[in-house]
Amino acid sequence: MRFDILTLFPDMFSSPLRGSILGKAIEKGIIQIRTINIRDFSLDKHQVVDDSPYGGGQGMVMKVEPIARAIESVKSQNPSVRTIYLTPQGKPFSQDLARKLSTQPHLILLCGRYEGVDERVRELFIDEEISIGDYVLTGGELAAMVLIDAVSRLIPGVLGSDRSAEEDSFFNFLLEYPQYTRPFDFRGRCVPEVLLSGNHSAIALWRRKEALKRTSLKRPDLLAKANLSEEDKTLLEEILRGNSMDDCGLPNRD
Ligand code: 4FV
């Protein structure tokens, strides 16, 4: 998968995308990331890329021409590339949307700055607007990195085993079950015995129950979207009846 990132700050992408899993995926050629400096497409002798808003008001607006040329420079190589604009006005980013985007071979990510882009950029060039959350950033770059990270790890070969993406939180709209590793007992807090039982069906049941419990406590809104089996519904009733102890005989903290 290829990402062409249109930005005024290409250096912001150097380290975050070079470390760890994404860095290896880039080395393996599974994903390609290219940053394109919008300023390079300004024909203005001072390479101006922003201007004051018509009608007055705060801040500056990104000019349409440099962005248009930058997008068309990519489209001249691949006319079918989809262009995404990261903006608070966009569709809320989600695991589901990440999964959909991970099927695309090539994406342009437009990172806004200042008060945003001239409206004609939207009208003429943007296929999809995506927001990473209801708050205002200084620029779309961090949002683009979030999107690249969440999408890339769903591409086969990026994560150690593709199975791990299937066990993600939100994979089927449930939060992930509690994870434990050594030591067994930390300051009197023990690892649930079932996890050491070797009984895989009992472990799977415990994990399912914990995922349901956690989701019903922390994100009940997700339960409505989760495709719950009949067994899940029975487990949920048990959970809502609320009678479970932890393995040190202590009442469950959560
Ligand atoms: C944003 C978000 C975001 C708005 C003004 C950039 C900033 C500045 N992008 N999800 N939330 N963008 O706050 O994607 O141009």
Side-chain angles (χ1 to χ4, degrees), residues 192-207:
E193 290 288 349
V194 64
L195 297 180
L196 288 86
S197 67
N199 178 337
H200 297 300
S201 57
I203 291 168
L205 176 61
W206 179 87
R207 285 176 166 172

Side-chain angles (χ1 to χ4, degrees), residues 55-72:
Q58 292 299 318
M60 299 292 273
V61 175
M62 291 178 78
K63 292 170 62 65
V64 60
E65 306 101 317
I67 295 174
R69 287 193 201 89
I71 290 174
E72 285 166 347

Side-chain angles (χ1 to χ4, degrees), residues 16-62:
L17 298 176
R18 295 279 175 270
S20 78
I21 289 176
L22 289 186
K24 288 194 188 60
I26 292 168
E27 279 153 28
K28 288 192 271 183
I30 301 172
I31 55 174
Q32 298 91 37
I33 297 181
R34 183 173 65 151
T35 54
I36 297 170
N37 191 332
I38 295 167
R39 202 175 291 283
D40 297 343
F41 292 83
S42 166
L43 294 181
D44 172 280
K45 62 183 173 309
H46 306 296
Q47 290 204 307
V48 168
V49 293
D50 63 327
D51 201 343
S52 50
Y54 275 116
Q58 292 299 318
M60 299 292 273
V61 175
M62 291 178 78

Side-chain angles (χ1 to χ4, degrees), residues 22-243:
L22 289 186
K24 288 194 188 60
I26 292 168
E27 279 153 28
K28 288 192 271 183
I30 301 172
I31 55 174
Q32 298 91 37
I33 297 181
R34 183 173 65 151
T35 54
I36 297 170
N37 191 332
I38 295 167
R39 202 175 291 283
D40 297 343
F41 292 83
S42 166
L43 294 181
D44 172 280
K45 62 183 173 309
H46 306 296
Q47 290 204 307
V48 168
V49 293
D50 63 327
D51 201 343
S52 50
Y54 275 116
Q58 292 299 318
M60 299 292 273
V61 175
M62 291 178 78
K63 292 170 62 65
V64 60
E65 306 101 317
I67 295 174
R69 287 193 201 89
I71 290 174
E72 285 166 347
S73 76
V74 178
K75 284 196 165 200
S76 62
Q77 294 156 5
N78 174 14
S80 65
V81 62
R82 279 177 68 73
T83 305
I84 293 176
Y85 177 39
L86 288 304
T87 167
Q89 300 179 19
K91 196 186 308 174
F93 189 47
S94 66
Q95 191 67 13
D96 214 32
L97 193 42
R99 215 187 341 262
K100 287 194 184 84
L101 293 174
S102 69
T103 64
Q104 294 285 325
H106 187 188
L107 290 175
I108 293 175
L109 303 180
L110 173 60
C111 304
R113 278 275 157 173
Y114 321 117
E115 301 312 308
V117 301
D118 183 293
E119 189 61 17
R120 291 161 289 187
V121 171
R122 278 193 173 86
E123 291 161 5
L124 296 169
F125 298 103
I126 301 304
D127 299 304
E128 194 166 3
E129 295 186 335
I130 293 177
S131 170
I132 64 164
D134 296 342
Y135 39 79
V136 181
L137 305 168
T138 58
E141 284 78 9
L142 293 175
M145 290 181 211
V146 166
L147 183 149
I148 290 169
D149 188 289
V151 170
S152 298
R153 60 188 298 286
L154 298 174
I155 297 168
V158 170
L159 289 183
S161 81
D162 298 335
R163 261 177 51 68
S164 49
E166 282 155 22
E167 294 185 9
D168 276 347
S169 284
F170 305 106
F171 183 73
N172 48 17
F173 297 104
L174 287 184
L175 300 184
E176 209 162 287
Y177 48 77
Q179 297 275 15
Y180 295 86
T181 188
R182 279 178 285 275
F184 171 77
D185 176 341
F186 178 72
R187 300 181 185 169
R189 297 257 162 206
C190 314
V191 174
E193 290 288 349
V194 64
L195 297 180
L196 288 86
S197 67
N199 178 337
H200 297 300
S201 57
I203 291 168
L205 176 61
W206 179 87
R207 285 176 166 172
R208 189 71 179 173
K209 196 170 179 180
E210 288 297 319
L212 289 163
K213 186 196 306 182
R214 191 162 265 207
T215 309
S216 65
L217 279 169
K218 297 180 177 180
R219 291 292 307 278
D221 58 300
L222 289 174
L223 284 177
K225 291 193 262 183
N227 44 10
L228 300 180
S229 65
E230 286 317 308
E231 188 196 16
D232 289 336
K233 292 172 186 147
T234 317
L235 288 172
L236 259 179
E237 279 146 29
E238 268 182 35
I239 289 163
L240 300 173
R241 265 204 304 281
N243 57 4

